[in-house]
Amino acid sequence: MKYILTFLFFLLFTNGIFAKGGSGTYFITGKVFVQTKTILKNIELKIKIGIITKTIKTDEYGNYEIEIPWESACPSGRTKEQNKRDNKRINVKYIYFSYLNKKIKLFNEWKKYAQLFPESKEKITRKQDLNFI
């Protein structure tokens, strides 16, 4: 019985070590402008992240903030190419911002901010002003 329990503990412990997949969020913040460099205050923006659409509102200074989810596939027992393909499948390539009939497409930089235990919110925040031309 003691050997069985030791074996089970070892099996569970080693699976925990090798399972390196994870998930989290990062933030995108900045100011919103129109072509004339006029700050858009207290307006609603639509954000599309994959199949999810969110509506956020800028503040009285034209600032916005959006939380972007990310996931990382577990690489255990997978080639680098398989893992890369899995990560590409579960994380969208672009994030779309729209205001009225204008759109902005941003590359999803999730890998740059993918930290399971970030030191601070600033470490996982991307600064990006939006200029709707």
Side-chain angles (χ1 to χ4, degrees):
M1 182 69 171
K2 186 177 10 174
Y3 295 111
I4 293 172
L5 289 174
T6 303
F7 176 74
L8 288 174
F9 176 74
F10 178 75
L11 185 64
L12 290 172
F13 181 71
T14 56
N15 280 341
I17 289 174
F18 294 114
K20 295 181 182 178
S23 64
T25 59
Y26 76 95
F27 298 88
I28 302 177
T29 63
K31 286 195 179 293
V32 180
F33 301 92
V34 288
Q35 185 175 8
T36 59
K37 292 290 183 183
T38 303
I39 296 173
L40 296 176
K41 305 172 185 178
N42 301 311
I43 57 109
E44 288 188 350
L45 291 175
K46 297 264 188 230
I47 293 90
K48 189 169 180 350
I49 308 165
I51 60 170
I52 298 168
T53 300
K54 297 180 179 185
T55 301
I56 61 168
K57 193 171 182 179
T58 61
D59 67 11
E60 61 207 43
Y61 304 105
N63 297 311
Y64 77 96
E65 178 178 277
I66 181 77
E67 189 173 9
I68 308 296
W70 60 266
E71 289 185 56
S72 175
C74 177
S76 297
R78 320 266 304 147
T79 66
K80 285 184 181 181
E81 197 56 43
Q82 289 170 325
N83 188 256
K84 185 177 179 180
R85 187 175 54 241
D86 290 344
N87 283 331
K88 193 176 199 177
R89 182 180 49 81
I90 59 179
N91 293 289
V92 298
K93 187 172 185 176
Y94 296 104
I95 301 160
Y96 298 91
F97 293 80
S98 59
Y99 171 68
L100 299 177
N101 61 348
K102 299 175 184 192
K103 291 186 179 180
I104 294 176
K105 178 171 82 170
L106 293 181
F107 184 73
N108 184 2
E109 295 182 355
W110 71 272
K111 286 182 190 176
K112 183 176 178 181
Y113 301 98
Q115 300 176 21
L116 289 177
F117 305 105
E119 295 173 19
S120 65
K121 187 176 177 181
E122 289 76 32
K123 297 269 186 186
I124 55 169
T125 299
R126 174 182 174 182
K127 308 287 189 219
Q128 182 70 55
D129 290 340
L130 302 174
N131 191 355
F132 289 95
I133 298 174

